[in-house]
Amino acid sequence: MTDPRQAVPRQPVADDVLVRARGLVKTFGEFRAVDGIDVTVHRGEAFGFLGPNGAGKSSTMRMVGAVSPVSGGELRIFGLDPATDGPAIRARLGVVPQADHLDEELTVEENLWIYGRYFGLSGRQVRERARELLDFAQLTERARHKVDSLSGGMKRRLTIARSLINSPEVLLLDEPTTGLDPQARHILWDRLFRLKRQGVTLVLTTHYMDEAEQLCDRLVVMDHGRIVAEGSPRNLISAHSTREVLELRFDLDDHRDRLDDVDGVGERVEVLPDRLLVYVDDGDAAMSAIAGRGIRPLSSLVRRSTLEDVFLHLTGRSLID
Amino acid sequence: MTAPTAPAATRRRAAVLPIPAGAGLARMVVLRNITSFRHGWIALVTGFLEPVFYLFSLGVGVGALVPHVTTDRGSVVTYAAFVAPALLAASAMNGAVYDSTFNVFFKMKYAKLYDAMLATPLGPRDIAVGEVSWSLLRGGLYSAAFLLVALLAGVVHSWSALLALPAAVFIGFAFAAVGTFATTFMRSWVDFDYITLAIQPMFLFSTTFFPLSTFPTPLQWVVQATPLYHGVALERALMLGEVDASVLWHVAYLLALGILGVVGASRRIERLLLR
Ligand SMILES: Nc1ncnc2c1ncn2[C@@H]1O[C@H](COP(=O)(O)OP(=O)(O)OP(=O)(O)O)[C@@H](O)[C@H]1O
Ligand SMILES: [Mg+2]
């Protein structure tokens, strides 16, 4: 495996804060898509924005990517102001946008070459780098194919390879695996792990809690343009949820009718359209307690708490509707 | 005395022309288009043929009925020699307009190519300058091919025709820049009818097929305001060897229009894509 970053030696930087936002706001007309968020991303970490559709994740990413003017508050990337140093900031960033935006008129390798030229790299540099990146993205066999012949997962890997052409210090990934099948997602996660190990700072958005748990050292939970919680996946779960969850399904239309049955069993109960979630520290004990009351659910399941539960607790809604 | 520093020079230029930022990498946009056209060079050929067909149908066909024309500068020439410079100007226009309208619209609205470019150090100015350069190159290429055909057809009579090609670059520049600017206002493919509506009468009436003196005076003013008129007048002066100071006026008109178009296009791209 070649190291796609080996071409660029890491420069020592006194300040290790790469992204710093304070009271950051993005408005579209009257609408506040991002409503005063504070974010700090340190060198080498994997930082996530977890939130449902319309939370303001992409709007935030575009501001950090220095392609969307800040409407209010303060934003610094590498200590630079995107309003005045956009090109200098973008030269050090890699961007994987929510939609691939690949150049469909070019072949796979040409996509890498030309994109590298946009950074002012020479023809020789981009050819060498493209060879490493095609290998990294497992697309060497497809180098001369047109982009439209690739599968969704391959296109996503090509977009990631393309974003690495300038050996970026920070990689911005907007929903890197949305729309991919499970196998393609796992391949992609594996590539992102490798990058993380090589020291690339990852900033990603997702509405998959498993993705956030897998990839992020630290994350913020966003809803309606605001940050509702912040921390490592583990800390968020221990701060906002119990250790385990007991899921109960009954044979009825409205699960609210069974709320009394589970009263006092756990710390908290959430009602979903098709089940009850009982938040407990010991799931098996809770299950016996319920059986002891003579209650027979259609099905029951004990599992560990996830970020989905954190989100549900904080906002009263599911991440994916 | 110290030389002015680069940032100071940039600031001063920016004050004169309020044009959005770029990284000075517009040539990479041209390179991208060259790479893309290596896959589809056939599209280049078709656009060039139209003026050639006109040259033969009108120059040779109509020329048989109208043996001689007196130009606005007083020379008497064959009809083919009269229309050839105008068709050369139209070639430059066609090449430039085709690329700067249809292709730019597709790249902006559907391929989202500029969104990808703007995520790199490239700025709106690089995109505008790059696309306009490519379009005028294409216009220049059409003109060169047309000039060759005209030469072989024996309708080129003056050595100053050598300057017809550089002149075509000014025509291509003006139309490419205005075309790109206009395209940033297009909402859907339907809006392209407006482009046809502007180009077609211009092609027919900008003294392409008959001299300015044919029009009544008020209409002469209208014709003289169009960019193609200046392109045609410029090419005709050069190819028929009627060069005088007015040539500079035509060049200045085309240049000014081109600069306005580039500035306008970069500002629109900034407004549309950097939201
Ligand atoms: N250019 C725009 N003009 C007007 N409103 C916009 C624009 N871009 C985004 N919005 C609105 O801002 C809100 C936040 O959008 P954003 O794309 O940032 O959300 P998101 O968290 O990325 O959602 P998703 O998961 O669907 O990608 C949405 O309500 C959206 O409609
Ligand atoms: Mg989004």
Side-chain angles (χ1 to χ4, degrees):
Chain A
M1 193 65 228
T2 49
D3 174 358
R5 285 184 48 84
Q6 68 194 1
V8 169
R10 191 76 57 67
Q11 317 107 301
V13 173
D15 191 358
D16 253 9
V17 172
L18 298 189
V19 180
R20 186 174 186 279
R22 290 297 174 269
L24 185 62
V25 173
K26 181 74 199 182
T27 54
F28 296 106
E30 291 289 287
F31 180 71
R32 289 168 92 81
V34 178
D35 197 3
I37 61 169
D38 294 352
V39 172
T40 308
V41 180
H42 298 272
R43 187 179 292 278
E45 75 177 333
F47 185 90
F49 292 90
L50 178 69
N53 289 128
K57 304 181 299 291
S58 295
S59 305
T60 305
M61 290 294 255
R62 283 173 44 81
M63 286 192 281
V64 174
V67 291
S68 171
V70 168
S71 312
E74 193 193 86
L75 179 63
R76 292 289 177 275
I77 302 116
F78 309 119
L80 301 170
D81 183 351
T84 52
D85 293 307
I89 292 169
R90 295 195 298 270
R92 297 163 65 184
L93 288 179
V95 178
V96 176
Q98 190 165 349
D100 286 318
H101 298 166
L102 289 165
D103 199 327
E104 305 264 345
E105 290 171 49
L106 306 182
T107 64
V108 168
E109 64 184 0
E110 285 170 346
N111 260 278
L112 297 178
W113 296 342
I114 294 295
Y115 200 76
R117 300 302 299 263
Y118 297 157
F119 286 86
L121 301 176
S122 74
R124 210 174 49 81
Q125 283 171 318
V126 297
R127 267 159 217 276
E128 202 175 295
R129 196 94 187 100
R131 216 169 317 124
E132 298 165 9
L133 288 170
L134 284 171
D135 182 25
F136 173 77
Q138 296 161 303
L139 288 169
T140 306
E141 264 96 83
R142 296 287 184 142
R144 280 153 205 271
H145 291 216
K146 277 282 186 74
V147 167
D148 57 19
S149 70
L150 301 185
S151 71
M154 288 176 178
K155 281 188 185 171
R156 213 57 187 146
R157 294 205 305 270
L158 178 58
T159 306
I160 292 178
R162 187 182 70 169
S163 74
L164 294 169
I165 197 88
N166 59 325
S167 311
E169 290 162 65
V170 177
L171 189 57
L172 304 177
L173 303 130
D174 197 353
E175 300 197 12
T177 67
T178 299
L180 300 186
D181 63 41
Q183 195 200 348
R185 290 178 79 197
H186 280 282
I187 298 177
L188 219 78
W189 284 350
D190 170 63
R191 299 295 107 174
L192 295 179
F193 273 127
R194 280 168 201 256
L195 290 173
K196 199 177 143 185
R197 272 211 309 277
Q198 287 156 16
V200 182
T201 306
L202 302 180
V203 178
L204 61 103
T205 77
T206 182
H207 52 221
Y208 295 123
M209 50 96 192
D210 52 344
E211 184 159 280
E213 286 175 14
Q214 285 264 349
L215 292 175
C216 300
D217 301 318
R218 218 154 52 78
L219 59 95
V220 292
V221 180
M222 271 187 97
D223 191 33
H224 295 309
R226 292 168 194 268
I227 291 176
V228 291
E230 175 169 7
S232 69
R234 191 181 293 271
N235 289 345
L236 280 169
I237 291 167
S238 64
H240 300 283
S241 193
T242 52
R243 203 173 70 88
E244 294 189 330
V245 185
L246 173 59
E247 294 198 2
L248 300 173
R249 268 171 226 269
F250 293 97
D251 185 17
L252 26 96
D253 287 338
D254 192 345
H255 276 71
R256 252 178 310 212
D257 298 347
R258 288 303 187 114
L259 265 177
D260 288 343
D261 291 356
V262 298
D263 193 38
V265 172
E267 278 183 25
R268 194 160 57 77
V269 183
E270 295 280 354
V271 186
L272 296 185
D274 61 339
R275 65 208 134 120
L276 292 179
L277 304 180
V278 187
Y279 290 88
V280 293
D281 280 323
D282 185 341
D284 290 330
M287 194 119 103
S288 326
I290 283 182
R293 291 182 184 186
I295 297 160
R296 298 274 171 272
L298 213 56
S299 71
S300 58
L301 164 79
V302 175
R303 59 165 177 84
R304 301 182 74 85
S305 270
T306 66
L307 285 172
E308 176 84 39
D309 299 298
V310 173
F311 189 80
L312 194 63
H313 178 45
L314 291 171
T315 68
R317 291 182 295 119
S318 303
L319 268 171
I320 305 171
D321 310 313
Chain B
M1 265 282 304
T2 53
T5 60
T10 314
R11 259 199 305 279
R12 206 170 311 128
R13 206 161 49 233
V16 179
L17 281 177
I19 185 164
L25 289 170
R27 65 185 184 283
M28 300 308 182
V29 178
V30 178
L31 183 72
R32 183 263 159 209
N33 290 336
I34 293 172
T35 311
S36 158
F37 259 79
R38 278 211 294 252
H39 300 295
W41 54 268
I42 192 78
L44 275 177
V45 178
T46 51
F48 139 82
L49 288 175
E50 190 184 314
V52 172
F53 291 154
Y54 271 101
L55 178 66
F56 285 102
S57 83
L58 287 168
V60 180
V62 179
L65 308 173
V66 189
H68 294 287
V69 183
T70 309
T71 69
D72 289 310
R73 284 192 175 79
S75 336
V76 177
V77 295
T78 65
Y79 190 64
F82 178 78
V83 291
L87 291 170
L88 180 86
S91 295
M93 173 179 84
N94 277 357
V97 167
Y98 186 81
D99 228 288
S100 64
T101 57
F102 288 100
N103 288 353
V104 166
F105 185 74
F106 179 78
K107 291 178 196 169
M108 187 158 64
K109 284 267 154 72
Y110 296 94
K112 302 282 178 192
L113 187 66
Y114 304 143
D115 291 279
M117 287 179 176
L118 289 171
T120 74
L122 295 181
R125 188 179 67 206
D126 297 306
I127 293 173
V129 171
E131 288 295 10
V132 169
S133 307
W134 163 250
S135 302
L136 81 84
L137 275 179
R138 186 163 169 182
L141 211 63
Y142 284 8
S143 308
F146 183 87
L147 189 61
L148 196 67
V149 172
L151 203 66
L152 295 176
V155 292
V156 178
H157 296 303
S158 165
W159 279 108
S160 57
L162 280 178
L163 291 173
L165 218 48
V169 171
F170 286 100
I171 301 170
F173 177 53
F175 280 99
V178 171
T180 309
F181 182 48
T183 300
T184 61
F185 291 95
M186 304 281 163
R187 290 151 303 174
S188 73
W189 294 108
V190 180
D191 287 341
F192 280 89
D193 288 344
Y194 292 111
I195 301 253
T196 317
L197 208 63
I199 296 295
Q200 227 156 37
M202 207 158 24
F203 177 60
L204 292 173
F205 300 118
S206 297
T207 73
T208 329
F209 300 110
F210 41 87
L212 188 65
S213 54
T214 321
F215 292 101
T217 316
L219 275 182
Q220 286 190 14
W221 293 338
V222 175
V223 169
Q224 281 176 299
T226 68
L228 187 58
Y229 165 79
H230 291 274
V232 170
L234 177 62
E235 293 296 1
R236 197 164 273 149
L238 294 172
M239 285 177 71
L240 299 181
E242 302 174 320
V243 181
D244 61 21
S246 72
V247 162
L248 294 176
W249 153 238
H250 299 310
V251 168
Y253 176 102
L254 295 169
L255 198 61
L257 194 64
I259 290 170
L260 280 179
V262 170
V263 173
S266 10
R267 293 177 64 170
R268 286 284 301 166
I269 290 172
E270 177 173 54
R271 258 198 62 186
L272 290 176
L273 301 183
L274 297 181
R275 285 165 297 131

